Amino acid sequence: EAQVTQNPRYLITVTGKKLTVTCSQNMNHEYMSWYRQDPGLGLRQIYYSMNVEVTDKGDVPEGYKVSRKEKRNFPLILESPSPNQTSLYFCASSLSPTGDNSPLHFGNGTRLTVT
Amino acid sequence: GNSVTQMEGPVTLSEEAFLTINCTYTATGYPSLFWYVQYPGEGLQLLLKATKADDKGSNKGFEATYRKETTSFHLEKGSVQVSDSAVYFCAFNTNAGKSTFGDGTTLTVKP
């Protein structure tokens, strides 16, 4: 089944403890992207990647890192999480290299709480 | 800069009512436009899309027409069902990979 898989679905952590949220897609998509969803703010883009070893900042990249060493994986890293990073996170991928002509396929989300 | 403005919610309708959710966009050029739907506890999924001016996207009884002159992509459905209760997002990506989403409109349909 074609899908974007994120793990974990739920994560509670403490301020400053490094964490990684994994994202993997099995559709051979070029484009991958991370978003956070907060009430009243819609989805905001954190980082995106149009190819292996190519990553770019979205609208809210501060406090996050990503890597794209393989086409299928695009992990989101929080080196020192803070409470303002408590949010619902989504990974997405698209057949289009820039995500503009083909729809985004989303994972089921990771709900992160930082205390 | 790029932006999407969606009709503010929440929207509450009775079953079989007509639905319109307004969406207007600001973009450089004419990107493909998308409506995504998010059911409770799930990720977003594509509802419909339109790739150029005057295109009409349609799916599951929902429709939206890409209007270049008014920079709009309003979502409509003639007769909503309880199962349509969800959050709806209007969105596009630029050809440089940047995503722009509206804030989302929560629809509740009552029996």
Side-chain angles (χ1 to χ4, degrees):
Chain A
E1 181 190 350
Q3 59 186 354
V4 177
T5 303
Q6 286 180 237
N7 279 299
R9 286 295 306 273
Y10 301 93
L11 180 57
I12 301 173
T13 190
V14 296
T15 299
K17 186 175 181 183
K18 180 180 178 179
L19 66 92
T20 300
V21 184
T22 63
C23 175
S24 180
Q25 51 94 3
N26 62 1
M27 296 169 280
N28 201 36
H29 284 174
E30 299 283 345
Y31 180 88
M32 297 185 76
S33 184
W34 276 102
Y35 305 88
R36 58 179 289 173
Q37 183 179 18
D38 301 291
L41 295 176
L43 266 74
R44 293 181 292 168
Q45 191 175 34
I46 302 171
Y47 270 96
Y48 62 99
S49 170
M50 294 191 279
N51 208 336
V52 174
E53 301 292 0
V54 178
T55 62
D56 288 287
K57 294 179 181 178
D59 294 321
V60 288
E62 295 79 19
Y64 304 95
K65 284 175 57 177
V66 292
S67 69
R68 189 92 182 272
K69 296 191 173 113
E70 310 161 278
K71 198 172 188 180
R72 64 182 292 127
N73 295 323
F74 192 46
L76 180 70
I77 304 154
L78 284 72
E79 294 271 3
S80 183
S82 62
N84 64 13
Q85 293 178 298
T86 293
S87 188
L88 179 58
Y89 291 87
F90 288 101
C91 179
S93 70
S94 173
L95 181 63
S96 162
T98 56
D100 61 340
N101 286 328
S102 297
L104 294 165
H105 297 255
F106 286 85
N108 281 332
T110 296
R111 186 166 291 282
L112 172 65
T113 302
V114 184
T115 61
Chain B
N2 298 322
S3 67
V4 170
T5 301
Q6 271 183 245
M7 170 177 169
E8 280 191 33
V11 175
T12 302
L13 296 172
S14 297
E15 210 164 20
E16 298 185 5
F18 184 86
L19 169 71
T20 299
I21 300 177
N22 290 338
C23 168
T24 56
Y25 67 90
T26 301
T28 304
Y30 302 102
S32 295
L33 301 174
F34 300 88
W35 276 102
Y36 293 94
V37 58
Q38 183 182 30
Y39 299 105
E42 298 183 11
L44 284 71
Q45 55 186 273
L46 176 69
L47 179 59
L48 54 84
K49 72 172 202 178
T51 57
K52 61 184 187 296
D54 299 324
D55 263 4
K56 178 188 281 188
S58 61
N59 186 26
K60 300 181 182 178
F62 290 89
E63 294 183 340
T65 300
Y66 192 142
R67 300 283 186 206
K68 190 170 87 172
E69 62 279 3
T70 53
T71 61
S72 65
F73 192 52
H74 305 321
L75 182 68
E76 296 182 336
K77 187 174 186 183
S79 176
V80 293
Q81 306 300 312
V82 172
S83 57
D84 294 327
S85 297
V87 183
Y88 294 82
F89 292 91
C90 183
F92 66 88
N93 262 37
T94 69
N95 59 9
K98 293 291 287 284
S99 296
T100 302
F101 283 79
D103 289 347
T105 301
T106 300
L107 170 67
T108 302
V109 180
K110 297 194 169 176

